[in-house]
Amino acid sequence: MRNRQTNFVAKVAPILLGALVLSGCAVGPNYHRPVVQTPAAFHAPDESQQTTTQTASFADLPWWQVFHDPQLQELIRTALKQNYDLKLAVERVNAARAQVGIVRSNEFPVVSLDPTFSGGKTDQSIKSNIFSLAGDVTFQLDLFGRYRRATEAARAQLLGTQDAQQTVILTLVSDVASDYFLLRDLDLQLQITTETVRTQEDSVKLTKLRLQHGVATTLDVLQARQVLDVANAQIPDLERQIGQTEDAINILLGKYPDNVPRGESLSIETSDGWKWSETLSPLLPTGLPSELLERRPDIREAEQNLVAANANIGVAKAMFFPQISLLGSGGAAFGHSQFAGSHIPAPPGIGTYAAAASQPIFEGGALRSNLRYAKSEERQALIGYEQTIQRAFGDVSDSLIGYDKYHVVRERQEQSVKDLQESVNVSLMRYRGGTATYLDVLDSQRSLFSAELTLAQARNNEYQSLVQLYKSLGGGWK
């Protein structure tokens, strides 16, 4: 008996060993990150500042260290808790994680049990109570890595979904900050317009008084009302934009449209010029260009799509090879039957085992077409990966140029406002002295009003470019 067992083990052992060796193999290419030639420096107004030794990056700062307004920080925190797009992204991650479990389950045996209980009494006075238990085991040998490659693809898709969630966070933080700065800019424009209305109302009163004393004309009064009418006409439009921007912010926060609490004022006008609530640096570190591939979640998502497509090639190739299944079943019954005072025991347990193989012979070209499809998907993923990197560098370049130039525009616009303010003062003095017409005053006041609105917009552009630079460098989601 022992010899028979020894011979059986000797015969089966090589088969099992071969199966284990083959199960460690997987057809299809192993993934290697493609070599992408990235620029040595970002394209910026002053590329000499973008050195290869610059390891620090503006994007490494968490958003609460970039946006200093406490009210803006609270809005971002609320959005990260309540935004519906972010909630959907979280659920997509949960679904992808569950999908990994579904796909990976194919690598394990399937075991099922079928318990039954029967009993009763027949016309021949046969009584029986029988409990039977049957079990089946099915296991598909993954000799060519079909299921392991499928699991690899599912895991890559999970990681890509997690990176997509980080992209949603990055975009959400940037959108809340962008809309908030726009709201504060509109508040500033409304403030400038309201102050202009107040000033022009005083000017109209003064002109009417001069008309009553015979030192002004009716034309002077009508001209004085022109700037007042223009300013009054802009107030409803600014209020419309403010209300709609508040609605946009509340939607980002996962709330219904409502008012938005304000934090610090964007700026105030002093005798020395405009004083801004935040001093923005004209130069910000960008970090190494090569680090952009790891910092931006959309690039990482594109790479995970490439990993999944690469693994699916292995799945398609494995379908050309045989599929081997191990089958086993067994059962036993417990109980007895009683007839004429005699007990009849239940039949003993039984079991069977088998191995089956399936080799595709003719599929009408389906397998080859499936492989070509998988390879095409992989090439598309590679192109998408390279394109995402290219666009990322374009985003950074545009943001660097925009931030630098908007900073210069704002500084020069501040000087223009100072000059026009002085022009208004001089023209008023000349008009009161009788050496100039009110048309000169009107032209200088109209120019000043327009320049102040342009200055507010220039400061908003500077803030918006700061947000875009932070986003393009991959900051905001940590």
Side-chain angles (χ1 to χ4, degrees), residues 318-377:
M319 295 178 69
F320 284 89
F321 295 91
Q323 298 183 33
I324 301 176
S325 303
L326 300 180
L327 310 172
S329 62
F334 308 91
H336 65 277
S337 298
Q338 185 176 2
F339 176 68
S342 300
H343 291 275
I344 303 174
I350 58 174
T352 62
Y353 57 88
S358 174
Q359 171 65 54
I361 301 299
F362 178 73
E363 298 286 345
L367 295 181
R368 293 187 181 278
S369 296
N370 186 53
L371 179 58
R372 285 195 296 268
Y373 176 80
K375 289 182 177 180
S376 176
E377 289 285 300

Side-chain angles (χ1 to χ4, degrees), residues 108-312:
F108 298 94
V110 177
V111 181
S112 61
L113 294 176
D114 184 19
T116 60
F117 176 80
S118 62
K121 182 179 180 180
T122 67
D123 295 338
Q124 292 79 22
S125 298
I126 300 176
K127 297 181 180 179
S128 63
N129 290 288
I130 304 296
F131 174 76
S132 60
L133 180 64
D136 295 302
V137 178
T138 305
F139 180 49
Q140 299 238 352
L141 293 178
D142 193 20
L143 299 181
F144 304 100
R146 174 183 175 183
Y147 299 123
R148 277 170 288 143
R149 288 298 190 191
T151 301
E152 179 184 348
R155 284 191 177 128
Q157 289 168 353
L158 168 61
L159 294 176
T161 307
Q162 291 175 335
D163 290 327
Q165 177 189 354
Q166 305 305 332
T167 300
V168 172
I169 295 175
L170 183 152
T171 303
L172 179 60
V173 171
S174 301
D175 287 350
V176 173
S178 178
D179 285 354
Y180 181 79
F181 287 136
L182 174 59
L183 179 63
R184 301 305 285 140
D185 171 61
L186 292 171
D187 288 340
L188 178 58
Q189 292 186 51
L190 181 60
Q191 176 186 341
I192 293 171
T193 306
T194 303
E195 291 176 354
T196 300
V197 168
R198 188 181 305 111
T199 302
Q200 289 305 118
E201 286 176 343
D202 294 339
S203 181
V204 170
K205 291 179 182 178
L206 175 62
T207 308
K208 288 181 177 179
L209 183 61
R210 289 171 60 85
L211 176 63
Q212 293 174 1
H213 289 80
V215 292
T217 66
T218 303
L219 181 61
D220 291 340
V221 177
L222 294 176
Q223 289 175 336
R225 292 191 61 87
Q226 289 184 19
V227 176
L228 176 62
D229 293 339
V230 171
N232 272 322
Q234 289 199 10
I235 288 179
D237 186 60
L238 288 171
E239 291 175 339
R240 172 190 63 79
Q241 295 181 61
I242 288 173
Q244 292 177 346
T245 304
E246 286 181 321
D247 292 346
I249 291 176
N250 277 291
I251 294 301
L252 291 173
L253 301 184
K255 298 181 178 180
Y256 289 100
D258 198 357
N259 295 325
V260 174
R262 300 333 192 243
E264 300 177 4
S265 176
L266 195 64
S267 67
I268 58 173
E269 187 177 11
T270 65
S271 57
D272 298 330
W274 290 84
K275 182 177 180 181
W276 306 100
S277 57
E278 289 193 47
T279 303
L280 304 182
S281 171
L283 300 175
L284 292 171
T286 58
L288 296 175
S290 59
E291 293 179 350
L292 193 66
L293 275 64
E294 299 295 339
R295 188 180 290 113
R296 283 196 39 149
D298 59 335
I299 295 179
R300 297 200 308 272
E301 179 187 0
E303 184 179 9
Q304 292 303 325
N305 291 336
L306 178 58
V307 173
N310 181 81
N312 284 330

